[in-house]
Amino acid sequence: VPFYRLTLAYDGSEFLGWQSQREEGRTVQGELERALARLARGQRVPVAGAGRTDAGVHALGQVASFELARSLPTDKLQRALNALLPADLRVLAAAEAEAGFHARRSARSKLYRYELDCGGVPLPQRRRFAAWIPGLLDEPTVQATAALYLGRRDFASLASTGSSVKTSVREVTRSRAVFGERGMLYEVEADGFLRKMVRSMVGGLMAAGSGALSVGELERRLAARDRRLWPPPAPACGLTLVRVVYAV
Amino acid sequence: VPFYRLTLAYDGSEFLGWQSQREEGRTVQGELERALARLARGQRVPVAGAGRTDAGVHALGQVASFELARSLPTDKLQRALNALLPADLRVLAAAEAEAGFHARRSARSKLYRYELDCGGVPLPQRRRFAAWIPGLLDEPTVQATAALYLGRRDFASLASTGSSVKTSVREVTRSRAVFGERGMLYEVEADGFLRKMVRSMVGGLMAAGSGALSVGELERRLAARDRRLWPPPAPACGLTLVRVVYAV
């Protein structure tokens, strides 16, 4: 049975996320499965996504995997899907995958980025892809907070309730902010992420960078493994799944 | 009578332009005049814009001018307008202006930029602010074409029909393209622009950069002052009015 792997970009503004909690509404997985069913002559093709992005979260390098009953040239697959999919969801690349390849389970790490617009007035051009807070955050404090997240840690304080994962320990290998003239870009890479973990990380950066909580206080609350103590997650619109890394 | 000057940013995707040719539909000028009328207790406040951007064209630094019957602190004016305006139109700055200031007639020069997404597949994140053509244009040819536009020239070949301006001579002081990994940014500054002139300039860059027309041929067609000979204008969505310069 042929296995396939797609690299996807989407503007998440008008999606209810990768998959919907409710069984209604427009989801990335739903649009993809609908297009694949048309290529597979009505047969249902279940798709796995590397990251189950929430409603409003974007992707530049989401990865999806599935099996097809019959083999299809990958350039033809890409073109056919892009002809069937809506303009806010594009297949950037299609490739054959080894048997058993699974976009989420085979992933080694994922890179997310979060954009903040810190101008005095939110720029209309950025409103779909950046969250707005008036005024720049304090850079040294933000970087010190970003450094708290590095390494192998229990992120229970940053997990959304309702997660059903076995462990909340994750290894963060990159966590840094880049400051610009009127905003901030935060990049974080880990072997996996809990539900709303990146947005909670950014919530922590915002709380410390605005002076609401000290870095030391955030460190204690991170160690407490109690999500009720952690600042609320930052808005979904600022978040983009940039890249998923697999073992060669 | 107090004169005011606003710096505006807008996502032009859902506007019929600065002003509508038809008297119906959503325009930047219309939204602004409606908000100002509310501040002026129902009195009509005619607004002048530095650049009459077309439908789908964006702005990061459009300038608008108007008079008010009574004086208003500029920070209050900015806040009140932003509270009344839709999210795709923001007042970035408000200032008092000298008597007789007129956003268009007082302008010395304007800077526009045009974005091209040249990836194999159009990126959903850029679809509102960049026009897509598959594959990069030839950089030396594009730069040679951009250089054709520099200086004081008659741009009759690049003016849209229906322009009612007296002269089609304009002085272009900047015209250059910056190439990136999967796209191109073109910047052009002049003392004024004819209708659809920037988009026609980009149409020329695309015709030459893709090999459809030689630079020499474009030069002849520019000199011919006949718009029927010029390639079609590039799509509106790639264009942004970046800055308007006034004499101090």
Side-chain angles (χ1 to χ4, degrees):
Chain A
V1 182
F3 283 73
Y4 293 93
R5 164 183 166 170
L6 304 177
T7 307
L8 305 171
Y10 46 88
D11 171 352
S13 312
E14 281 145 40
F15 285 106
L16 288 176
W18 171 261
Q19 63 183 155
S20 183
Q21 301 295 87
R22 296 165 285 153
E23 282 306 307
E24 53 190 29
R26 192 167 178 265
T27 66
V28 180
Q29 186 187 30
E31 293 290 334
L32 205 52
E33 290 184 348
R34 178 155 43 166
L36 281 167
R38 286 192 56 181
L39 295 186
R41 296 167 188 174
Q43 225 182 335
R44 183 168 141 67
V45 181
V47 170
R52 294 182 194 131
T53 53
D54 283 328
V57 174
H58 319 286
L60 284 168
Q62 169 77 286
V63 175
S65 61
F66 54 88
E67 308 173 32
L68 287 180
R70 60 191 184 95
S71 183
L72 207 66
T74 52
D75 57 341
K76 197 179 156 187
L77 176 65
Q78 183 188 9
R79 271 201 312 275
L81 285 174
N82 279 332
L84 292 167
L85 291 170
D88 53 356
L89 170 57
R90 294 285 93 184
V91 178
L92 298 187
E96 287 187 46
E98 67 209 87
F101 176 80
H102 186 280
R104 191 177 67 256
R105 288 195 296 264
S106 306
R108 287 289 177 90
S109 73
K110 275 171 233 157
L111 173 68
Y112 279 92
R113 81 169 183 218
Y114 195 94
E115 280 188 65
L116 272 186
D117 177 1
C118 304
V121 172
L123 216 52
Q125 280 83 345
R126 298 185 66 188
R127 73 191 195 287
R128 284 179 163 238
F129 301 106
W132 175 68
I133 45 165
L136 270 182
L137 301 173
D138 182 64
E139 184 168 356
T141 309
V142 167
Q143 300 293 12
T145 310
L148 281 185
Y149 304 142
L150 282 168
R152 194 166 180 78
R153 292 177 180 281
D154 188 333
F155 289 100
S157 287
L158 287 82
S160 179
T161 47
S163 290
S164 59
V165 289
K166 289 174 209 119
T167 169
S168 46
V169 173
R170 295 290 183 276
E171 183 163 13
V172 175
T173 47
R174 183 201 314 224
S175 171
R176 67 164 183 219
V178 181
F179 279 71
E181 211 182 311
R182 55 167 285 147
M184 189 196 89
L185 194 72
Y186 172 64
E187 287 193 321
V188 61
E189 184 164 13
D191 56 358
F193 290 91
L194 303 164
R195 208 169 155 72
K196 295 205 180 152
M197 180 169 151
V198 182
R199 289 163 58 194
S200 294
M201 287 169 140
V202 176
L205 301 182
M206 287 162 70
S210 66
L213 289 175
S214 71
V215 181
E217 181 57 33
L218 278 172
E219 189 169 16
R220 278 188 292 279
R221 295 187 186 195
L222 175 58
R225 288 178 288 174
D226 181 348
R227 73 168 306 282
R228 291 167 302 178
L229 301 175
W230 198 258
C237 66
L239 187 60
T240 296
L241 171 54
V242 175
R243 194 165 60 227
V244 186
V245 178
Y246 296 91
V248 193
Chain B
V1 183
F3 282 73
Y4 292 93
R5 164 184 166 170
L6 303 177
T7 307
L8 304 172
Y10 45 88
D11 170 353
S13 311
E14 281 144 39
F15 284 107
L16 288 176
W18 172 261
Q19 62 183 156
S20 183
Q21 302 294 89
R22 297 163 287 152
E23 282 307 306
E24 53 190 28
R26 192 169 179 263
T27 66
V28 180
Q29 187 187 29
E31 293 289 335
L32 204 52
E33 290 184 347
R34 179 157 42 168
L36 281 167
R38 285 191 58 181
L39 294 187
R41 296 166 188 175
Q43 226 181 336
R44 184 168 139 68
V45 180
V47 170
R52 294 184 193 127
T53 53
D54 283 329
V57 174
H58 318 286
L60 284 169
Q62 170 75 287
V63 175
S65 61
F66 53 89
E67 308 172 33
L68 287 181
R70 60 191 183 95
S71 184
L72 207 65
T74 52
D75 56 340
K76 198 179 156 187
L77 175 65
Q78 183 189 9
R79 270 201 312 277
L81 285 173
N82 279 332
L84 292 168
L85 292 169
D88 52 355
L89 169 57
R90 293 287 93 184
V91 178
L92 298 187
E96 286 188 46
E98 67 210 85
F101 176 80
H102 186 280
R104 191 177 68 258
R105 288 196 296 265
S106 307
R108 286 288 178 88
S109 73
K110 275 171 233 158
L111 173 68
Y112 278 92
R113 79 168 186 220
Y114 195 94
E115 281 189 64
L116 272 185
D117 177 2
C118 303
V121 172
L123 216 51
Q125 280 83 344
R126 297 184 67 187
R127 74 192 195 286
R128 285 179 161 236
F129 301 106
W132 177 68
I133 45 165
L136 269 182
L137 301 173
D138 182 63
E139 182 167 359
T141 309
V142 166
Q143 300 293 13
T145 310
L148 281 186
Y149 304 143
L150 281 168
R152 194 167 179 78
R153 293 177 178 281
D154 188 334
F155 287 99
S157 287
L158 286 81
S160 180
T161 47
S163 290
S164 58
V165 289
K166 290 176 208 115
T167 168
S168 47
V169 173
R170 295 290 183 276
E171 182 162 13
V172 175
T173 47
R174 182 199 316 224
S175 172
R176 64 163 186 222
V178 180
F179 279 71
E181 211 182 311
R182 55 167 285 149
M184 189 195 90
L185 194 71
Y186 172 64
E187 287 192 320
V188 60
E189 183 164 14
D191 56 358
F193 290 91
L194 303 164
R195 207 170 156 73
K196 295 206 182 153
M197 179 168 151
V198 182
R199 289 163 57 193
S200 293
M201 287 169 138
V202 176
L205 300 182
M206 287 162 69
S210 65
L213 289 174
S214 71
V215 181
E217 182 56 34
L218 279 173
E219 189 168 16
R220 279 187 292 279
R221 295 187 185 195
L222 175 58
R225 289 178 288 175
D226 181 348
R227 73 169 305 282
R228 291 167 304 179
L229 301 175
W230 197 259
C237 66
L239 186 60
T240 296
L241 171 53
V242 174
R243 193 166 60 227
V244 187
V245 179
Y246 295 91
V248 192

